[in-house]
Structure formats: C-alpha cells, structure tokens
C-alpha cells in the first residue's frame, strides 16, 4: 500500500516533513473505496451516473440514494462516506435557501461549490475534527450553459467537462476521454455515462449494483431530476448491449 | 440602600455629575437588565398597527370544490394606493391561500410557504403540502408570533382539496383557527357572513356555477358597503381537477341610491 504516515498522520493539524497532510490523503482513500460516479458535461446539459453498490439482497431498492437535489436547478452526486455526504447536502441546501432568501434568485452553482469547498476545508484545519470523506459533484444548467464542479475532501474545487470518482476512476476517466463531450447531446450523454458505469463495474468484487441516472439541461429547463423511466430503460439497454458487444469482440480475439 | 443597588447599572456620582438636563437619558441603551424579558425588549419594535392592508376575503365550499374571492386592492389607510395586488396565492395544485389584513406580513407568510414547499419538492420524499397541513402550520406560526407579542397582523384563509374533499379554514393574527363551510374575514363578517350563512345552510349542495354567481353577489354587496373595497376582484376555484383563477369587475347598480337617505 502507500506510505504509512508514521506519526504525522494522527490529526489534520499536523504536516508531515515532506509537506503532506496525511489525514486529508486518507480521506481521499475513503473516496476511492466507494462506487464509481461518472459526470459528463455535454453541449446542452450535465448527466450523472452512479454505480450504487448493493451489498445485500435484503435491502430495499432505492435506499441510500447517491444523487440528490440541492436546489431545484442544482444536482449533487456523492462518492465516499454517505453519512458525511448527508451533512454536506444539508449544508448545501441551507446555503442555497439562504441565497434565495437574500437575493431573490437561485444560487449560481459556482458560488455554491465555493462555499461548500470553504466548509469542507474548515474541517481540515483542526485536530479535533476529521476531514469529510466524500467527493461532491455539483451540476446545473444556467444562463451561461451547463456547469459541473467537483469538490475534494481537501476543499479544493475544479470545474470539469467530465469526471469520474470512486473505485474505477482511472478506467472510467480513460473511457470519458474517448468521448467528444462538446458535441454530445444530453440524451446521448446519459446513455454514454450509463455505458461507462456498466463497463467499469467489477462483477467479481461487487456482485449487485443499482444504476442511478440523473440529468439537468436545456431539455428540462434547467431543473435537475432523475431521468424518466423510459430514458432510464433505454440507457440501461444501451449499456448492456455495448457490454455484450465488447464480450463478443473479446471472444473473437 | 442596598436593595436599590443594581450591579448591572452604571453608577454615576450623584453629587458632582448629576445635572438637571438628563433629557433622553436612558440606561436601557447600554445596560443589560437581567430581569427584562425578550418580550419587554421587543415591545418597542413590534408591529402595532398594519400599514398597507387588504380588505375582506370571502370563501365557501360547494359540491366538489372551494371558491374564494378577494379584491385586488392594497389600501394605505384610506388611500386606495396599490390597485393590482393578488391576495389569493396558489401554493400547489390543490392548495390556495387567501390573505387579508397587513400585506407586508402577508408577503412574509407567502415567502415562508413557498420556500417550505420548494424544499419539500427538493427532498424528493414524495410528501406534498395539503390544505390541512398548511392550516396546522399557519396556526403554529401565527400563535408563536402572538406569544412573542409581535403578531403578524393578517388573516390567513387556507382552502383546497384534502383527500379529494373540499377543505376551508381560517387562522387569525391571534393564532385562533377554525374550519367551516363558509369563511369571511374583515368587515365582510358584518356585511355578508350572516345572510350567506342562511343561504348556504338552507340550500342543498350548490354546484360550481351557482357558487360563482353567489360569490359575485357577495363581492358586489361588499363593494356597496365597505369603504375600503375595490371594483376589480380575483376569484379562485379549487376542484379535484385544477385550480382556476379569474379576474372580474363588479357591475354595481346604483339606481337604488336616490331612494335611500343620506345619499346624493
């Protein structure tokens, strides 16, 4: 495994001699252990696809969703510790509500990402709290087009065209780089995102998973919502079909 | 004497520093009196009288729905200042709110409700604001403000379809709430409630068209006799199918006036 902190990793208020804060890096490990999230910002919207790993057949399907609404127009997808994410979701919703109350308009997703980042960063400064073990993705379709932001456990935030977080983030990232995002339409982006999830899902280690899909874009007037049932079915079919094609290719070889 | 000594009040030299010109001098500006309650501190800042007001709201249930009507006037005392204010507010597809009295407090209530409803939609747990829930919530809000001696000087009428049955209730500025088949607020209580009640009690369930005609007659009566009424008014009809808004204008018949005393 990676280097052990050996004494410099006891709290977030300690630097190591080579200038790392180990607690924050360990928080990233928590993110890397969770199911993959893929987000694609295409020409006219943003699509989220989440591989929600189901550890038991006894769980009711649809429990512990990983895609949420922050405000009507902003969607949040989480990777990492779900309980930590729930608190961040609550904080994000409060920020959005307060902004609407103060200024009369919905909060621009860039500001929300900044505020959430500031909040997450605060938990990396002190020894009596631990950093949040989750990676937050925020998406919206605003007047200047689709926006996608990601906030790391360290409190750093970037804007993205496409991003994958979680177990299979490297493989998924390679798949995303193959797509021409600036030319993709939202209906296709949703299908592509579902396809990537199915491709990177590890059948051996995690048997069952539920796919969660959501979108926000011009076609639904910038209102973030889970994809309608028929679009969901189409996306799943497309994803499974492409898996079989890949299998056939492998067989031929 | 020792019982007069207040450690929280600044002591000043009553022999050398005292003068006779202590006008507007108040300890309350910079001391904390430990025995003063929040209410007593607030008494100087609470709403006492309404500023911009809406007049009566009339509402009753009929066979298959509820009908509400309110004029579109915001009065600044006796000045008819804002002549296009909607006092009936749609909350969702089966609940509406009618508001009378102070209109800035009415706006506060509308904003609070809208935020609450939007947050419920965002949570995605399938819950939806129903008239009964809104009625209960408004009661809690109004009563709370009453206990703080800082009331919202509005009457709130909650109407809609609860479990596909017509619902109608009113909460006033004191937090007193009741549900009825007929609710009128403001001066309409004195001008209309009596005879409407007689009509509605003695007739069997009226239908939507009859309800509209009856409501037009009520508003006309209020326009004749209420000094703060306005000819243009808004009617809202809630049924299981939809929420319908109409704007109408009173067609008064003043021909009777010449035969009445004290009218020109």
């Amino acid at each position: 495994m990676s280097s052990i902190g050996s004494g410099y990793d006891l709290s977030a208020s300690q630097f190591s001699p080579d200038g790392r804060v180990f607690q924050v890096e360990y928080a990233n490990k928590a993110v890397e252990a969770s199911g993959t999230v893929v987000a694609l910002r295409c020409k006219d919207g943003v699509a989220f696809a989440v591989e929600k790993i189901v550890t038991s057949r006894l769980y009711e399907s649809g429990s512990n969703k990983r895609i949420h609404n922050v405000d009507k127009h902003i969607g949040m997808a989480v990777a990492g510790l779900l309980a930590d994410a729930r608190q961040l979701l609550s904080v994000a919703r409060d920020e959005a509500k307060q902004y609407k109350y103060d200024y009369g308009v919905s909060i621009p997703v860039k500001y929300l990402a900044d505020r959430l980042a500031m909040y997450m960063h605060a938990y990396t400064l002190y020894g009596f709290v631990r950093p949040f073990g989750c990676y937050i993705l925020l998406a919206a379709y605003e007047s200047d087009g689709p926006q996608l932001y990601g906030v790391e456990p360290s409190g750093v935030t970037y804007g993205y065209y496409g991003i994958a977080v979680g177990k299979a983030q490297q493989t998924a990232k390679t798949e995303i780089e193959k797509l021409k995002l600036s030319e993709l339409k939202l209906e296709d982006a949703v299908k592509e995102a579902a396809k990537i999830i199915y491709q990177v899902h590890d059948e051996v280690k995690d048997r069952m998973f539920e796919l969660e899909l959501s979108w926000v874009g011009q076609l639904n007037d910038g209102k973030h919502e889970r994809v309608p049932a028929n679009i969901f079915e189409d996306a799943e079919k497309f994803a499974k079909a492409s898996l079989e094609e890949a299998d056939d290719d492998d067989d031929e070889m | 004497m020792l019982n007069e000594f207040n450690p929280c009040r600044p002591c000043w030299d009553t022999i050398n520093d005292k003068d006779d010109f202590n006008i507007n001098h108040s300890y309350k500006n910079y001391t904390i009196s430990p025995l003063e309650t929040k209410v007593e501190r607030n008494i100087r800042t609470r709403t006492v009288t309404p500023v911009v007001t809406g007049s009566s709201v009339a509402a009753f249930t009929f066979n298959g729905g509820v009908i509400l009507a309110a004029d579109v006037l915001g009065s600044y005392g006796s000045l008819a200042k804002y002549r296009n204010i909607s006092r009936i507010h749609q909350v969702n597809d089966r609940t509406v709110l009618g508001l009378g009295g102070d209109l800035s407090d009415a706006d506060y209530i509308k904003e609070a409700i809208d935020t609450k409803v939007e947050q419920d939609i965002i949570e995605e747990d399938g819950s939806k604001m129903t008239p009964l829930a809104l009625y209960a919530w408004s009661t809690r809000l109004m009563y709370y403000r009453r206990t703080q001696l800082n009331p919202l000087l509005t009457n709130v009428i909650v109407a809609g379809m609860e479990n596909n049955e017509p619902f109608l209730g009113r909460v006033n500025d004191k937090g007193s709430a009741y549900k009825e088949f007929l609710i009128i607020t403001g001066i309409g209580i004195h001008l209309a409630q009596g005879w409407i009640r007689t009509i509605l009690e003695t007739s069997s369930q009226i239908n939507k068209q009859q309800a509209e005609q009856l409501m037009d007659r009520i508003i006309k009566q209020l326009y004749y006799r209420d000094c703060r009424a306005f000819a243009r008014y808004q009617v809202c009809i809630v049924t299981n199918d939809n929420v319908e808004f109409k704007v109408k204008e009173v067609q008064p018949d003043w021909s009777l006036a010449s035969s009445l005393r004290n009218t020109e």
Side-chain angles (χ1 to χ4, degrees):
Chain A
M1 265 266 293
S2 47
S3 63
I4 302 165
S6 59
Y8 301 110
D9 59 349
L10 297 176
S11 81
S13 62
Q14 291 179 315
F15 272 112
S16 74
D18 47 346
R20 298 153 74 176
V21 181
F22 277 104
Q23 279 298 305
V24 173
E25 297 193 12
Y26 295 163
N28 276 312
K29 291 268 176 285
V31 170
E32 281 167 27
S34 91
T36 320
V37 180
V38 164
L40 301 175
R41 170 185 156 182
C42 60
K43 189 170 64 175
D44 56 351
V46 183
F48 278 143
V50 176
E51 172 203 16
K52 190 173 72 173
I53 293 167
V54 176
T55 44
S56 163
R57 242 174 276 270
L58 295 174
Y59 290 138
E60 205 178 84
S61 85
S63 324
N64 285 331
K65 296 199 192 303
R66 289 176 52 192
I67 297 182
H68 303 277
N69 282 327
V70 170
D71 199 352
K72 274 218 192 92
H73 66 300
I74 298 183
M76 173 192 279
V78 304
L81 300 176
L82 262 197
D84 287 8
R86 207 169 295 139
Q87 180 181 345
L88 290 172
L89 175 63
S90 178
V91 166
R93 281 180 176 157
D94 275 344
E95 279 290 342
K97 192 163 117 180
Q98 190 58 38
Y99 190 95
K100 183 96 173 257
Y101 186 75
D102 290 336
Y103 302 108
V105 293
S106 310
I107 188 171
V109 71
K110 186 174 189 358
Y111 291 5
L112 182 63
D114 281 344
R115 292 186 191 188
L116 208 53
M118 265 193 276
Y119 188 83
M120 288 173 76
H121 173 243
Y123 282 72
T124 65
L125 296 170
Y126 307 106
F128 49 84
V129 290
R130 64 162 174 80
F132 286 96
C134 40
Y135 198 114
I136 304 289
L137 295 169
L138 296 166
Y141 182 78
E142 293 173 342
S143 55
D144 42 356
Q147 315 260 352
L148 171 61
Y149 288 90
V151 190
E152 295 175 23
S154 59
V156 168
T157 158
Y158 291 105
Y160 292 97
Y161 287 107
I163 180 178
V165 190
K167 280 191 155 91
Q169 62 189 30
Q170 293 293 46
T171 341
K173 190 158 165 280
T174 352
E175 294 296 320
I176 293 176
E177 281 168 358
K178 293 183 189 159
L179 301 168
K180 273 222 113 180
L181 289 170
S182 54
E183 289 169 8
L184 214 51
K185 288 194 6 219
L186 188 55
E187 299 95 324
D188 299 323
V190 164
K191 291 197 189 131
E192 293 293 340
K195 180 176 123 184
I196 295 176
I197 292 286
Y198 268 85
Q199 278 177 336
V200 305
H201 170 66
D202 188 341
E203 264 299 316
V204 177
K205 289 217 191 112
D206 320 301
R207 276 296 156 79
M208 299 175 288
F209 81 102
E210 266 178 44
L211 177 66
E212 273 188 73
L213 284 179
S214 80
W215 62 3
V216 56
Q218 202 174 26
L219 47 71
N220 59 5
D221 271 332
K223 176 172 181 290
H224 176 260
E225 55 191 8
R226 282 166 219 288
V227 309
N230 56 335
I231 308 272
F232 187 89
E233 273 167 32
D234 287 342
E236 264 202 313
K237 251 191 277 176
F238 178 82
K240 287 180 182 159
S242 71
L243 259 188
E244 280 163 18
E245 257 178 42
D247 280 344
D248 291 340
D249 288 341
D250 287 338
D251 287 339
E252 279 170 22
M253 283 169 63
Chain B
M1 311 326 92
L2 210 59
N3 57 351
E4 280 174 6
F5 177 65
N6 180 351
C8 297
R9 183 182 286 197
C11 286
W12 46 305
D13 190 337
T14 51
I15 297 169
N16 296 316
D17 292 345
K18 180 172 155 66
D19 64 328
D20 288 331
F21 305 108
N22 277 330
I23 307 164
N24 294 329
H25 179 78
S26 168
Y27 293 114
K28 287 203 163 115
N29 290 336
Y30 51 85
T31 58
I32 304 165
S33 177
L35 295 179
E36 187 186 57
T37 61
K38 188 169 134 201
V39 163
E40 286 166 302
R41 268 196 291 279
N42 276 348
I43 274 182
R44 281 160 274 127
T45 56
R46 73 190 208 278
T47 344
V48 190
T49 47
V51 181
V52 176
T53 52
S55 189
S56 327
V57 180
F60 57 86
T61 59
F62 59 90
N63 192 9
V66 198
I67 181 169
L68 295 93
D71 62 26
V72 293
L73 178 66
S75 306
Y76 186 61
S78 63
L79 171 67
K81 191 163 184 190
Y82 304 103
R83 288 166 296 169
N84 204 359
I85 295 200
S86 168
R87 297 196 283 123
I88 305 180
H89 179 66
Q90 182 173 1
V91 175
N92 58 26
D93 59 5
R94 55 180 153 145
T95 321
V96 296
L97 210 57
L99 297 150
D102 188 78
L103 291 182
S104 42
D105 285 344
D107 281 344
Y108 173 83
I109 294 172
K110 273 195 251 181
E111 259 176 39
I113 292 285
D114 284 347
T115 313
K116 188 179 257 315
V117 168
E118 204 175 86
Q119 292 298 307
D120 280 348
I121 292 173
I122 287 169
E123 298 264 353
E124 282 187 314
D125 58 1
S127 77
K128 209 171 162 189
M129 181 65 79
T130 71
L132 181 62
L134 183 57
Y135 169 78
W137 181 85
S138 307
T139 311
R140 293 277 64 75
L141 173 67
M142 307 297 277
Y143 186 68
Y144 171 71
R145 289 289 299 253
R146 174 246 180 270
T147 58
Q148 303 303 305
L149 292 185
N150 187 8
L152 292 163
L153 296 165
T154 355
N155 301 304
V156 179
I157 295 185
V158 182
M161 302 306 286
E162 177 79 31
N163 281 335
N164 295 326
E165 289 298 315
F167 178 96
L168 186 56
R170 178 226 73 171
V171 190
N172 71 0
D173 58 338
K174 294 175 190 61
S176 171
Y178 73 99
K179 296 178 270 197
E180 257 290 5
F181 60 84
L182 166 70
I183 290 188
I184 302 197
T185 64
I187 202 175
I189 297 174
H190 308 291
L191 298 173
Q193 195 177 57
W195 58 274
I196 301 294
R197 209 182 256 157
T198 316
I199 292 177
L200 288 178
E201 274 175 350
T202 52
S203 65
S204 57
Q205 286 270 286
I206 56 175
N207 67 23
K208 183 163 129 176
Q209 209 184 3
Q210 291 169 316
E212 261 194 82
Q213 284 168 352
L214 182 58
M215 188 55 93
D216 288 344
R217 183 65 194 84
I218 298 173
I219 297 294
K220 188 155 81 168
Q221 186 59 33
L222 294 179
Y223 181 67
Y224 284 142
R225 291 296 182 173
D226 178 5
C227 293
R228 307 285 177 261
F230 197 60
R232 198 161 64 246
Y233 63 102
Q234 206 182 17
V235 175
C236 174
I237 304 175
V238 189
T239 52
N240 274 323
D241 303 322
N242 61 358
V243 176
E244 213 186 316
F245 277 89
K246 292 184 190 177
V247 176
K248 296 184 181 177
E249 185 127 352
V250 173
Q251 309 299 327
D253 174 16
W254 294 114
S255 59
L256 202 58
S258 49
S259 58
L260 295 174
R261 264 164 37 122
N262 295 331
T263 57
E264 300 297 295

